Amino acid sequence: ELSEHKIPRPPAGSTKLTVGILTVSDRAAANAYESGDLSGPMVESTLRRIIVSFNASFKDQELIVNNFVKDVVPDEKDQIEEILLRWSGKASKQEDSSNVCNLIFTTGGTGFSPRDITPEATLSILDRECRGLMSWASIELTSKQPLATLSRAAAGVCGKTIIVNLPGNPAGAAQVAELLFPILLHAIED
């Protein structure tokens, strides 16, 4: 729980979102985990909890997620880039515009392993990077978990879609999503 952080209230009015959650993990993509992917579902449940809380707390606004678009891919740069571009509405062959996301969270691939290439894949497709967002998240979360400083996560905008890299650890991914989601709602409104 990040209750000590001053959480900005959501924008007034109705905000309808399509949110993408892309898990980047060789093992999850190969179904090597007995429990399956845990980080993607943890991010989704965290966002759903925040939305319910905001909708109950602020009567002049309503957050609605029209769709959670989800996928799991291995740590392969071209596969990560292809999905991020498709979900941002910038794929060369865009078949379905209903899955264009306002916000995409990736989980995994932000560490120091040679296979951890999510930030590189993300940076390669961004129109504009937002370094301050991830620097601030690292500073805020380091007091709770010193390992947060080891994240190489990236964030920015591709088209009109905000993309944020989260760690692959389910608890870490949930903490970063909980910290950033209220702030990102204001960027989505811009």
Side-chain angles (χ1 to χ4, degrees):
E1 191 74 28
L2 300 172
S3 58
E4 72 271 11
H5 299 283
K6 180 166 175 33
I7 297 172
R9 61 155 290 137
S14 180
T15 304
K16 294 180 179 167
L17 304 171
T18 297
V19 177
I21 301 173
L22 178 62
T23 299
V24 180
S25 166
D26 287 332
R27 288 179 285 180
N31 292 315
Y33 293 119
E34 211 173 283
S35 58
D37 171 37
L38 297 177
S39 60
M42 178 68 85
V43 171
E44 181 178 355
S45 67
T46 298
L47 297 179
R48 287 184 186 279
R49 180 179 46 78
I50 293 169
I51 290 167
V52 167
S53 174
F54 277 179
N55 286 341
S57 299
F58 301 100
K59 300 303 180 198
D60 64 340
Q61 66 81 47
E62 179 181 32
L63 293 174
I64 301 166
V65 176
N66 291 327
N67 192 12
F68 279 100
V69 182
K70 300 172 272 195
D71 207 345
V72 179
V73 295
D75 295 273
E76 296 291 341
K77 190 171 186 255
D78 60 336
Q79 290 183 46
I80 299 165
E81 291 169 342
E82 189 273 321
I83 288 178
L84 294 177
L85 286 168
R86 184 168 13 107
W87 289 358
S88 299
K90 293 186 73 175
S92 57
K93 294 180 182 173
Q94 192 74 30
E95 305 99 28
D96 183 8
S97 64
S98 68
N99 285 340
V100 173
C101 301
N102 307 90
L103 175 62
I104 299 170
F105 287 108
T106 68
T107 70
T110 62
F112 288 92
S113 162
R115 297 280 299 156
D116 288 336
I117 45 81
T118 304
E120 289 76 15
T122 302
L123 289 168
S124 75
I125 60 96
L126 290 179
D127 297 321
R128 292 181 307 257
E129 184 182 4
C130 182
R131 289 186 184 139
L133 186 70
M134 300 318 291
S135 296
W136 177 75
S138 178
I139 290 166
E140 289 295 308
L141 294 170
T142 297
S143 63
K144 286 194 160 303
Q145 173 51 270
L147 295 177
T149 59
L150 295 177
S151 176
R152 299 181 312 105
V157 178
C158 179
K160 294 183 177 184
T161 302
I162 298 168
I163 301 173
V164 177
N165 298 154
L166 303 176
N169 174 281
Q175 284 181 329
V176 179
E178 183 175 351
L179 179 68
L180 295 181
F181 185 64
I183 293 166
L184 294 171
L185 290 172
H186 291 273
I188 290 166
E189 285 293 296
D190 284 346

